[in-house]
Amino acid sequence: MKIFAVIGLGRFGTAVAMKLFNMGYEVIAVDKCMEKVNLIADYSTRAVCGDAKEESVLKALGIRNCDCVVVAMGHDITDSVLITLSLKELGVKKVVCKAKDNQHKKVLKKIGADNVIIPEQEAGVKTAAGLVSDKFMDIIDLSDEYSIADSMVPDNWIGKSIAELSVRKKYGVNIVAIKNQLDDNDVNISPSPEYVFKETDVVVLVGKITDINFLNNN
């Protein structure tokens, strides 16, 4: 079972820790505020009050045994940078950080963070995409250029096959799965070129953000 640590228990860190714990993973939750630690105690494997800037605290947590550590105090740039440096020096396999803005993100990437998230910015992008197209159901950014998106099947695809539409060639996106919006358990992973689209289909697309937006607005 994967082991996660979440350092910084604000709204973002708490939400991440609780979600991972509810998914069945081991979660170590860390914050300097005892009140926040107490609130997460029932939703984590281990809740610890301590200053993660201190290497001794990180070592006592057995942090190098974690598969991934989330540094969630994006508002405090100095703390997030110092903690990220310590985690990388201790050999943590994967460090994911919350950033305040793009400049903060650049600094964290430069010192070795494996992934950096700006929650407010990403939420804004998803909101904008949803306003522009009512076909989007969910969007996850894989990078600044690529996304994975759940989309209602375009009307002009219904009754036609993937091969007939030449989806990848014409639209520049890949279909990785097709879900039935009426049945959460009905999922077709890697559908064959002969698959014929139905009105109830939800298409899971991977590709450039520009290509996905173009497809959903035509």
Side-chain angles (χ1 to χ4, degrees):
M1 178 186 293
K2 286 188 176 182
I3 304 173
F4 293 87
V6 178
I7 300 173
L9 300 174
R11 284 181 295 178
F12 176 77
T14 298
V16 171
M18 290 179 67
K19 180 65 174 179
L20 290 169
F21 183 73
N22 288 334
M23 291 170 69
Y25 295 107
E26 291 190 28
V27 179
I28 302 171
V30 187
D31 198 280
K32 292 187 291 185
C33 175
M34 193 67 209
E35 183 179 355
K36 292 180 179 179
V37 171
N38 287 335
L39 289 172
I40 199 71
D42 291 336
Y43 304 97
S44 61
T45 310
R46 184 180 173 196
V48 178
C49 184
D51 189 348
K53 294 196 303 299
E54 298 180 14
E55 191 172 300
S56 59
V57 171
L58 296 177
K59 287 182 177 179
L61 291 170
I63 207 76
R64 61 163 52 94
N65 297 320
C66 293
D67 295 282
C68 177
V69 178
V70 180
V71 181
M73 64 276 290
H75 63 285
D76 195 322
I77 296 176
T78 301
D79 279 9
S80 71
V81 168
L82 292 175
I83 292 169
T84 300
L85 279 171
S86 294
L87 293 171
K88 297 307 291 186
E89 288 174 358
L90 288 171
V92 174
K93 300 171 188 175
K94 185 175 182 179
V95 179
V96 176
C97 302
K98 175 187 176 184
K100 181 179 180 180
D101 50 36
N102 286 321
Q103 188 62 36
H104 188 191
K105 180 176 181 177
K106 287 180 182 178
V107 172
L108 290 168
K109 291 291 285 186
K110 196 167 186 65
I111 63 174
D114 298 283
N115 192 17
V116 181
I117 301 165
I118 307 177
E120 294 82 1
Q121 187 181 88
E122 295 187 8
V125 170
K126 292 179 182 180
T127 299
L131 292 172
V132 170
S133 173
D134 58 5
K135 296 177 183 176
F136 281 130
M137 300 181 70
D138 192 22
I139 306 167
I140 300 172
D141 291 332
L142 301 176
S143 70
D144 291 338
E145 190 176 0
Y146 290 88
S147 284
I148 179 169
D150 285 6
S151 172
M152 296 294 294
V153 63
D155 291 339
N156 60 349
W157 286 18
I158 298 171
K160 298 178 182 177
S161 69
I162 295 175
E164 184 180 356
L165 291 165
S166 299
V167 174
R168 184 175 182 180
K169 182 179 180 180
K170 184 175 180 180
Y171 300 100
V173 299
N174 292 300
I175 298 174
V176 295
I178 297 173
K179 301 187 288 187
N180 185 341
Q181 60 179 305
L182 302 179
D183 183 356
D184 292 339
N185 295 316
D186 185 1
V187 182
N188 186 340
I189 303 295
S190 298
S192 70
E194 291 75 30
Y195 181 88
V196 176
F197 292 103
K198 302 185 294 293
E199 189 176 357
T200 56
D201 285 341
V202 172
V203 187
V204 183
L205 306 167
V206 174
K208 288 186 177 180
I209 297 171
T210 52
D211 290 335
I212 292 175
N213 286 339
F214 175 80
L215 188 157
N216 278 280
N217 287 289
N218 285 274

